[in-house]
Amino acid sequence: MKIALVCPLTGPLKKYELIIDEIVREMGFGGKIEEFKQEGRKIVYREEDELYSMSTEEMKDAYMDRSIRDHYRNLFSHQSTNQS
């Protein structure tokens, strides 16, 4: 998997680093942890505008958690398809 470097999350987005770390640990990603963290950051930046339309922090956190998980699942299903 080739990943373009993504800047670390800053300001109010920084809290999503913890969500990314939790998901990476939970999903058991192997030796390419930093690459998966980069993918997670990319999703946070991509979905940032959507966050501003949500009224509560809980909604924002749940949305971001789901977006990151969905992206990782799509990566795995795409990789599985390409390896078959």
Side-chain angles (χ1 to χ4, degrees), residues 20-47:
I20 292 168
D21 289 345
E22 178 182 319
I23 294 170
V24 166
R25 253 190 331 271
E26 185 180 303
M27 294 182 118
F29 297 133
K32 296 187 176 183
I33 291 173
E34 189 54 39
E35 288 184 30
F36 284 104
K37 287 182 178 185
Q38 290 288 328
E39 278 294 312
R41 290 179 193 119
K42 187 166 71 174
I43 294 306
V44 171
Y45 283 123
R46 187 178 79 196
E47 300 295 332

Side-chain angles (χ1 to χ4, degrees), residues 47-75:
E47 300 295 332
E48 181 180 9
D49 288 342
E50 186 67 30
L51 291 177
Y52 296 124
S53 68
M54 297 179 188
S55 57
T56 67
E57 288 302 309
E58 291 81 14
M59 287 175 65
K60 292 176 184 180
D61 293 349
Y63 174 80
M64 196 55 70
D65 184 274
R66 188 185 76 236
S67 296
I68 294 166
R69 287 176 191 278
D70 287 349
H71 181 70
Y72 286 148
R73 284 187 196 108
N74 287 337
L75 279 177

Side-chain angles (χ1 to χ4, degrees), residues 7-21:
C7 296
L9 301 174
T10 59
L13 298 178
K14 190 172 184 143
K15 71 178 181 177
Y16 296 114
E17 288 282 358
L18 296 174
I19 291 175
I20 292 168
D21 289 345

